[in-house]
Structure formats: structure tokens, C-alpha cells
Amino acid sequence: MLTIGKLGVSRGQLEYYDAQVAAGAEDYYAGRGESPGRWRGAGALALGLAAGERVERNGFMAVMRGRSPVDGAVLREMGKRSTVAALDLTFSAPKSVSVLFAVVDEEISGALLAAHEQAVDAALGYLEREACFTRRGRDGTERLRGEGFIATSYRHRMSRAGDPQLHTHVVVGNLTRADGRYTALDARALYEHKFAGGAVYRAVLRAEVCRRLGWVSWRLVGRGLFEIDGVSEDVLSHFSKRRVEILERAIALVGAGVGELSRERMQGIALQTRKAKQYGIDGGTWRDEVRARAAEHGLGERELRTLRAGVARIPAAPPAGEVADRLSGPLGLTELHNTFARRHALAEIAGEFHHGASVEELDRVTSDYLADPTVQHLRSEEDEQRYTTAGLLACEREILDGAERRRAEGAAVLSAGQIESVLCSWEPALNDDQTAAVRAVASSGQGIEAVAAVAGSGKTTMIGALAACYAQDGWTVLGAAPTGRAARQLREAAGVPAETMHTMLLRLARTGGFQARTVLVLDEAGMAPTRLAARLFSEAERAGAKVVAVGDPGQLGSVQAGGWLTALTARSDQGPSLREAIRQHDFAEREALRALRDGDADTYLEHMRQRVTAHEQEHAAIRALVAEWTDGRARHGAAGAAMIARDNYTRELANRAARAQLHATGELPAVEVLIGGRAYARGDRVIARRNDRHHDLDNGTLATVVEVNRATGAMIIQTDASEPRALSPSYVADHLEHAYALTAHGAQGGTFQWAGVIGRPEEFTREWAYTALSRARGHTSIHLIAAPPERERERDEYAPPAPRRQLADVRDHLQRAMRRSEVEALATAHLRQAAAHVGGGSDHQGLLSAPIDPDTDLRNPDRSRVNSSGSIPADRTDPATAERSATRLKGLERLRTHSEQRRGPTLGL
């Protein structure tokens, strides 16, 4: 495993490593301390330091201050704004290796240690070759390759809790030389190559252990993760005291076992139970204790002799064809993303070698795969070639080429009289936006119509009227959606028979396809995966069925590879759209949200300046949020107020705090029933997390508990939009959760009267923020958490905590995040842009009107930039955008004087 953490400039953080070093060789071999630090990296060699030379404390501190460890000369000026002294790359061995290292004799222990060191060297070499960059120029737009790391390494044998945990900290100073001078590292490059670097470490470790210890075999325990065969799970679990401690704490806090705990919740509890690092542990006594504990759990001398007497079962290297089929298939590298880089392929390929592989072998197999016919080369992006798979590219072309082919098809055209006869009597009456969309879609004749509908614009009402227009003329109108909840919304609110995309494709396969004179409405099209949409569009074209894809490209997109709706709606500014939001009562709120959707974070934050609060720690933010939620619930009812979080751990904390508040006020009865590790009571708000036809429930259905059977665990719930449902104990245990707080994915498509949104500032990316902040008709507030995100807590067992972020910086982080888009361009768009670049002009005629040249090199204008300090810089704004922002700000100031707005807590920034 490889984890990366930032080291601040504080002396306490920087002394973490030196404090554990043994006073001398005798102390180390006696076990009273860890090995001394050693210099590593090409940058250190360039300064005259020998590889492996011992690190002296003054030299280490000099590098952390941007100075030479040799003579103290200034290499990189570090001012008051320089908060990152170094990056800690920690390579941690699999638990089975760590346990064996602690319990076996010196010969085997030495072999394991040598294998670990070789793997660290290989992985560090890979990162130095592939991820050593710096940035210069305004906003860090100029990226230069660095000449190497100035790094120190510290090897440790145990975790914070004293369990065997062989790991090496490679502390990389935040500087590298490029073009004759030193500047800060581009930290993003290291984070981008983290998984590949970790995969290289693990693969080389496996290979080196097998080479040195011929009796070792490996067993697969997870994707790309292996343990030594013969070291049982009981032993591994026993030597994870921190894991046991965290589980016990989790059970005490939330009444849940490991099966109900998300990774984020586990990491948060890990931080709460963190202990101070113990120094000066007597290693001799520690080894004796570890050996005794291992024997008690099935790894004593007899088992070790059996293990050493075995013959390794090393599987053959995977055939190239099988690797290509898997990586290029629907569940491979383009399952979740439209494009990938070499590092992604290398990380996956490393996991194919059960017996491990050298860096050279991984490089060779990766190159062979990238030359396979199933892989399509796209273009270079800041020294990194991008690729996609032929299968995904074919699906994208099926959608986009199909839209071009069917543009003048004359499909499903209704006369003006037929349209007006429905619209004039339709209830509720449509607004101008909705009316124009219905007229455009019903009269265009295009076989594929894409309608961009902003959040809260009344798209379901528009769809209902459109369906009525076609039904009156004898057309069959069918609905599909990527989720069961969206399909139900089509059925119940728009009156359109609808099902999920998966279900529809299965039915079409049985029945032979769409019938004649059919109109297919694909709702929440922005969330529809490319592969499913391509199959559905192909079936529609074969039958001559008109497709109307409705969704919001500005909200959260597909979890799987997607983004095609963005491409279709961007094709023409004249296409049908719903741009007028009607959900929010306050016009100023609607205008601010429009600005946010367009990427204008300044206007939105100016509008929200009194409703944003920053908190040092997560629990303080939760308390403030729940206090506001309590008031919102009292005003608008249980279903009218919702808390929205970015991750499941924060959501669970908010749910638990909300229930505690309701118990304290007597709104939830004291008598509860524990089902599947969760406590439920009459009146609880819940959400279904799985589609279930037997229970007539969709993933995302919100409801209130009406009755719980204490003896059986069966439950009756009242859904927000329909009849009561009786739930079996198994469904409750496995697929029901509390719903006082939701994730943005869970809230998407929902409407509330009050919403409180919580998260860390960098999590408020453009699409996520717009989705979460557009849910409420009335008041929305934001609570920001300054503490580090959960992903930085995985280092809890063996590293110092991340440097604390200053509250004064939180607003800047939020502003930058809201400008940053998560939308991933289609692979086809990469090819189109390259073709337009070669042709010397812009392509305004259609998505694929220019010839495709897959070998053309083109920069990706959508890529997030990073400045020389490793942080994400503010985007440069063109004059037109700046003028629009200024105009919006002035307009909002005028609106405030005429709008009644409930104010949240004062902005604490």
C-alpha cells in the first residue's frame, strides 16, 4: 500500500521521524528504536549526498526549510504562505509480510526486509520518473519536469498500536530543480500516480519475496491485493489491534458491525480513537510477545515449519489476450471513466501478476496492452497520453452519429393545431419555457432530441404535456430512466408508463423491439451511462422511434462512463431547453443558482455570504447543522427539511445527531428495535437503498416508519409520495437507512422546503454544489469543515496527522472548488477537438463533422490546473465572464432590498 500525506512546516510534525530513530546500531538491533533515516532520490545525489547515506537531523530540517542539507544554502525561498514542507510517501507491507517479519528467524526476516526495500526503491524510482514535476508561470500553467526528488527514508516495524507493520516513510522535500532553479513540487502529479506507485510496490514485493523465499505463494484478497498463503485470516485479524479497537468503538457508537460500516465511517472512528505514537518500545520483548500471540492464533513453530517446507504454487503470467479482454471490456478501464492514462493501465496490470513482477515486466506488458487493437489512442495531455477503449468509443459514436443521422428524419412530427389543442387546456398551465420546449420537440422531426432542463424547472410537468400531445394523435409514449425512482416519477407525476433502462432493454430483447409510432422519453438523461444509452438509442433507431432525452448536464452525472447529454445539448444553443427555475421562491436565489451552474462562484457566494459558516472540526459543524435542521423541521415538517452531505461518514454522523436530538425532545420514542445493526423507532425518517419489485420500492425512496415489529424486525413505512409499504426483516436489515441526512446523489431529483449542506470546501465542485444547493424551495445554508477529509485519515496507524487548515483559507478553497467541473469529456470529443485543431478552425457544424485523426496531439482545456505549491489555483476569468459576474452582483444587491430572506449563521471566515 502507498499513502501520501502532506507535512506542514511545524517542528512537531517534522520531528516525528527523527524521534523514533535509535541512538545507535546496538539500540536498533536490540529493538529499542527504529533504523536511521537514509538519503534517497536523484535530487539528493545531485547535491553530493550518497544514496543510503545516513540522514543527520540538521540536514533533514534544512531540506524542510528549502535549504541544502550539505551547506545550508537557500535552494527555494519559502515565505509565510509556504505551508507544505514535504510529502510523506509511506509504503506499507501487506499484514502477512509484517507478521512473518516479526516472528521468523533472522535469515527469513532479512529476506523479507530486503524484498521490502527493493520494492520501495522500485516504486520510488517509478514515481521519480513519472511524477516529478514543478509548475511555474501565472496560475502555474507552465509545467516542467523536475530533475529528481530530495528525499529521506525512515523504516519502521510496528504500527501506532504496537502491531507488526513493516513500512517505510519516504519524506520528499517540497522542491525540485528544473531549468536551472528550484521550485515547489507539483503535488498533484504524485497524487495522480499514487495508485500506480502502490501497485508497483506490491508487485515488486511479491516478486522479490518469491525470488528470495521459494516456498512462498500468494493468495488474492482484493482487487490487486495479496497476502502470503498459509498465514490465516485469524492471525491477520488478531494483529490488527487498531482494527479491532475501531470496530469495538463503532459498535458502541452506532450499534453496527463491520458489515454495516462504510470505509469513511471506519476512518472517522479511527481518528477519534487515535493514540499517541509509542517510542522506545523494547524490540526484543516486543518480538517475543508477537511470537506468543501468533502461536495462540495458529502461527506457531509447527505452522511455520509447514509453511517453509511447502512448494510455491506460482501461477503463469496471464495471457495478453485475456488481459486485453478484461481491461477493454465493460467492467475494465472505461467502466467508470471515458478515458484513461498509462498509469491506470499499469496499476490494473500489476494486479494480474499473482506472483509479482519487475518494473520492466510491468512496463512491457502495459506497452503491449496499449498497442492492442481494443485500445484507441487519443491525445497527449501535459506529458500524458490519453486512451479509451474501442468498445466505449463505439457506444459514444452510436449516440452522437445517430443524432446526426436522425436530425432530418421527420420523426413524430405533430401539427401546430394538435399541439395547441392540448396546451391550451393543460393543467397546470405551462410557463413560457415549458410551452416552447413542448412545441419545439413535437414539431422538430429529429429522431433524437436532447432537452437541457435546469434543476427545479418543472421538466416532469413539461414531459406530461408532451406525452399528452403525442397520445392524442395515437402515438405510444414510453418512459425510461437510469434509476427506479426517476422511472416512478415519470409514471406517477407525468402519467408516462416507465421503467428503468436495464428493465426496458431486457423487455425489448424478449419482445423484439419497440412498436411502430413510439416516442421514448429518457428522463434524468444526464445520469444515464453511455453503454446503456447507446443500446437503447440503437433499438429506437431500428424501430424508427423518436427519443426525447431530458436532463440537466449541470447536475451530478452518471457513476459509470457517461457525459453524452452534455455533448448533445452543447451541439446547438437553439435546441429546446428549460432554463427558468421555478423551484425557489426567491428570485434572487434562482439567479444566484443560475450563476453557480454557469461556473460563476463569486456571484453565488456573494448572495450566500450570510448563510455560510466554517467550523474547525466535523463534530462542531454537525452540531450547528442539526440545530438549524431542528428549526427547519419544526417549520416545514419531517419531510420538508433535509441535511445533505458529500460522503457517507458525514451523513451518518448527521443522522445519528438528528436522532439524538429527537430522542431528547421526545419526538422519537425511547423504545427502539435493533435491526441489521441499526436502531429504528416509530417516526424515523428512512431511505430505501435498493430497487425491490416485491416490496414495490425504488432505490432512493424516502419514507417515515409507521410501525416496527419488535419480535420479527418487520416494518411498515409510509412513503412520501405513495401508499404504505410492508417491509420484510431482511430488506430492513440489508437495504434501509436513516434519512435525516442524505448524500447529493440521494437528494438529486428531490425537493425540500429547507436544506442544510455540509462538507469540506474542496468537495463543493461545480456539479455537486449545484445539485446539493438547489434542492430547497426556501432556505439553504452551508456548513464547511476545515479539518482534513476522510481519505487523509487512512495513514492514522503509522503517520503524523495532516497539517491543520486555517479558517481564513476556507472561503478561498470553496470558491476554487465551485469553479472546478467534474464533467469528463467524451472520448469522441477528444478526437473531434484534435481534428478541429488540425483543420485550423473551430467545428461548429456538429459533434463529428470534422474528420477524425486519433494521433493528433491536443491540450485538454477542461483539465484542472495546479500551481507550484500543489494547490488548485483560481481560474483565470475572461472579460466577458467577469462582466457578467459584476452585472449579476449588482442585480442581486438590488434584489436583496426587496426580498424576504431568512438568514442563517453569519459567515465565520
Side-chain angles (χ1 to χ4, degrees), residues 353-578:
F353 289 86
H354 287 216
H355 65 292
S358 66
V359 177
E360 293 74 21
E361 188 173 12
L362 293 177
D363 274 335
R364 177 182 57 77
V365 176
T366 301
S367 295
D368 290 346
Y369 166 67
L370 295 177
D372 191 87
T374 62
V375 177
Q376 170 74 57
H377 291 226
L378 297 174
R379 58 171 174 75
S380 292
E381 176 183 295
E382 289 194 329
D383 302 313
E384 187 174 63
Q385 178 75 40
R386 302 298 297 185
Y387 306 87
T388 192
T389 58
L392 180 64
L393 196 60
C395 290
E396 290 184 3
R397 284 172 165 159
E398 177 66 38
I399 296 172
L400 302 180
D401 286 354
E404 290 296 321
R405 285 193 304 270
R406 305 191 66 191
R407 183 185 288 272
E409 187 176 272
V413 176
L414 300 180
S415 68
Q418 291 170 316
I419 299 170
E420 298 306 320
S421 67
V422 173
L423 295 183
C424 67
S425 60
W426 186 257
E427 293 292 340
L430 304 187
N431 62 24
D432 291 345
D433 235 11
Q434 295 165 329
T435 300
V438 171
R439 288 171 177 160
V441 171
S443 61
S444 75
Q446 294 190 42
I448 296 178
E449 197 87 60
V451 182
V454 305
S457 58
K459 66 179 174 64
T460 306
T461 301
M462 183 276 292
I463 290 171
L466 178 67
C469 290
Y470 278 111
Q472 179 177 267
D473 194 45
W475 288 79
T476 299
V477 182
L478 300 176
T483 67
R485 182 173 57 171
R488 185 183 295 270
Q489 179 77 0
L490 270 182
R491 293 194 302 271
E492 297 181 352
V496 176
E499 55 199 336
T500 65
M501 297 171 72
H502 283 97
T503 302
M504 177 170 281
L505 285 167
L506 290 173
R507 182 176 58 77
L508 292 175
R510 292 194 306 268
T511 60
F514 290 108
Q515 301 300 309
R517 291 178 60 82
T518 294
V519 173
L520 171 65
V521 177
L522 178 57
D523 195 15
E524 295 291 357
M527 300 173 66
T530 296
R531 287 182 171 90
L532 280 183
R535 291 170 57 193
L536 206 53
F537 282 33
S538 177
E539 289 287 339
E541 184 173 12
R542 186 165 65 88
K546 181 182 180 73
V547 177
V548 183
V550 186
D552 187 1
Q555 294 191 62
L556 291 172
S558 170
V559 175
Q560 296 176 309
W564 56 269
L565 182 67
T566 301
L568 286 184
T569 55
R571 183 175 55 185
S572 171
D573 293 334
Q574 305 304 315
S577 63
L578 299 179

Side-chain angles (χ1 to χ4, degrees), residues 339-356:
T339 68
F340 60 92
R342 181 186 179 90
R343 54 190 160 90
H344 301 120
L346 185 145
E348 288 292 326
I349 286 168
E352 298 284 342
F353 289 86
H354 287 216
H355 65 292

Side-chain angles (χ1 to χ4, degrees), residues 573-587:
D573 293 334
Q574 305 304 315
S577 63
L578 299 179
R579 291 283 296 172
E580 182 183 344
I582 58 177
R583 175 180 293 151
Q584 285 72 35
H585 298 314
D586 182 14
F587 179 74

Side-chain angles (χ1 to χ4, degrees), residues 811-831:
R811 182 186 177 92
D812 289 340
H813 285 282
L814 176 65
Q815 206 165 32
R816 287 197 294 267
M818 284 182 166
R819 293 171 180 158
R820 192 171 70 250
S821 175
E822 290 186 71
V823 172
E824 187 180 2
L826 293 182
T828 321
H830 290 251
L831 298 178

Side-chain angles (χ1 to χ4, degrees), residues 313-332:
R313 302 184 305 277
I314 300 177
E322 291 183 10
V323 172
D325 287 346
R326 189 182 73 78
L327 296 188
S328 295
L331 302 180

Side-chain angles (χ1 to χ4, degrees), residues 455 552-557 566 579 592-601 604 646 744 761-774 813-823 861-862 864 875 878 881 884 888:
D552 187 1
Q555 294 191 62
L556 291 172
T566 301
R579 291 283 296 172
L593 284 167
R594 184 199 293 265
L596 176 61
R597 186 181 185 276
D598 292 342
D600 182 359
Y604 182 79
R646 178 77 195 220
E762 64 271 16
E763 296 171 341
F764 282 73
T765 53
R766 184 168 164 181
E767 291 78 21
W768 188 88
Y770 177 66
T771 302
L773 297 169
S774 61
H813 285 282
L814 176 65
Q815 206 165 32
R816 287 197 294 267
M818 284 182 166
R819 293 171 180 158
R820 192 171 70 250
S821 175
E822 290 186 71
V823 172
D862 296 327
S864 298
D875 287 354
D878 62 87
T881 302
R884 286 195 301 271
R888 280 169 168 156

